[in-house]
DNA sequence: GCAATAGTGTCTTTAAGACACTATCAT
DNA sequence: ATGATAGTGTCTTAAAGACACTATTGC
């Protein structure tokens, strides 16, 4: 083959490919294709009064107007760079603060989960200390904390009950191989508070000694030097170390129970 | 309050709510709101020749026309009841068979991951025995298996490289606390095949004894009564028990390595 | 019998479970 | 000093790691 002809052909075809992709993108109209209703929802957990609760909001609009559901909504394509941003935006809207733990839970989709039609929601799972957002929640009437053991009595919008169940399973599983419950505590906390948080989430007592061993091994915390009077011996106050990732243990707590 | 008036008011307001919701749903036009481009993608892994590979397809259309990417595409709202159906439909299209393992991985979204605009893809993670789909893959020219250790050399469409990395992490983690690699094996398999699959995925040798203990404890398998000649002593052939869920162990293998 | 692969026995190690023990505080 | 809560010491237990051992096959 003539090398000049080969080069010419190559240059031309590259040019054609680029022109054609350019034109394609310029002419692309996202609204041409039927697409599902896309939303983002948050399952925000918090602890108070020896109970694990989930944040619900009263729906202002159809469908399920007036019903309680998860705080969430549509993606704002100008504001949000990803669904994480959408989740955060909605959480800040409702609680006034950024939760210290936020991870993607799962995406729920289907033809029938929304009466308006085929829909998809990316659910996020978040934890916060109750004290950090209580003033904000108390100031509105469209948001409330539902204790998770009352979930069966409360009818929720869409499949939000099912989504909360998934989030609860995730929280319980992760609590067995990490110290995730610290994200439900105030910035400074005692070991007893961490133990109580863990026990409320797991629904059963754990060995304090096991918790302390993990606490030390995790490398996630530092002593504040302060301590807190609880009526008897003062308890040391700890805080999370800056910029340290969550530690995952290689074994689960409570090996006996379930799988 | 007059009880008759109360009942009347209640009945009326319920009626009004229903009428208003009916009208709302009737008038609802899903295309009114700007919504992201929504797709579903699959990360299908398979083992062959002592290598872990991922299935790629050559893109027939813009954007990234001609580039390799994950097998996936748009939701067909008439065919698919959920994104799981979309994932399965695309997998069957490309491989000719239903993979024995399919779970949701994560949803990737963002303003910039697709040149056409704000997009969201729900990624699924699947495993299959190479022999079960090899004839179909070989019959087409737009699909290939990419060994995962060659991932760095291959440029992929969109953020598909990143998605594969997430899937790989999930596969490796789960291999440490379950016998997930069996889903990469043929229906009948030997313990040595399971061990080799596990070692390829983890990238290091494991204790055969530990594997056998887990194999028995899992309750997931049954002896076929058959055995397979391998050049030396014959190895027993096992199969997965019908209708038995995957067993999750309470400890990880390879505690030393990483977290 | 020998080499090779399959499969077992059993000791060590790791980290959790159990629980008795000591320490520190308010009163 | 006492009682209550904080925190430690240490033995037991469960399951993985290590590795030597026996079993079965083809040649």
């Amino acid at each position: 083959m003539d090398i000049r002809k080969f080069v010419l052909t190559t240059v031309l075809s590259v040019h054609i490919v680029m022109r054609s992709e350019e034109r394609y993108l310029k002419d692309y109209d996202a609204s041409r294709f039927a697409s599902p209703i896309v939303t983002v929802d948050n399952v925000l957990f918090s602890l108070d009064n020896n109970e694990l609760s989930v944040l619900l909001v009263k729906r202002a609009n159809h469908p399920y107007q007036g019903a309680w559901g998860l705080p969430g909504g549509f993606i704002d394509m100008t504001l949000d760079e990803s669904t994480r941003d959408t989740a955060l935006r909605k959480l800040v809207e409702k609680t006034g603060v950024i939760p210290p733990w936020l991870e993607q839970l799962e995406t729920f989709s289907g033809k029938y989960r929304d009466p308006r039609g085929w829909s998809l929601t990316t659910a996020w799972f978040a934890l916060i200390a109750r004290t950090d957002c209580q003033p904000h929640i108390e100031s509105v009437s469209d948001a409330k904390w539902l204790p998770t053991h009352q979930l069966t009595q409360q009818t929720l919008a869409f499949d939000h009950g099912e989504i909360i169940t998934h989030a609860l399973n995730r929280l319980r599983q992760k609590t067995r191989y990490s110290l995730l419950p610290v994200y439900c505590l105030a910035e400074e906390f005692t070991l007893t508070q961490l133990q109580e948080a863990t026990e409320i989430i797991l629904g059963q007592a754990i060995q304090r000694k096991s918790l302390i061993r993990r606490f030390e091994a995790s490398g996630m915390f530092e002593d504040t030097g302060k301590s807190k009077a609880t009526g008897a011996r003062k308890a040391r106050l700890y805080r999370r170390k800056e910029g340290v990732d969550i530690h995952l243990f290689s074994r689960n707590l409570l090996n006996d129970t379930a799988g």
Side-chain angles (χ1 to χ4, degrees), chain A residues 144-172:
Chain A
K144 71 166 179 185
W145 291 106
L146 178 74
T148 51
H149 67 258
Q150 287 173 31
L151 261 175
T152 45
Q153 288 125 270
Q154 174 85 55
T155 322
L156 296 178
F158 307 104
D159 50 0
H160 288 185
E162 199 194 323
I163 295 176
I164 294 171
T165 302
H166 278 245
L168 263 173
N169 288 341
R170 175 91 130 242
L171 173 60
R172 294 204 174 109

Side-chain angles (χ1 to χ4, degrees), chain A residues 31 100 171 208 227:
Chain A
S31 71
L171 173 60
R208 184 179 181 81
S227 54

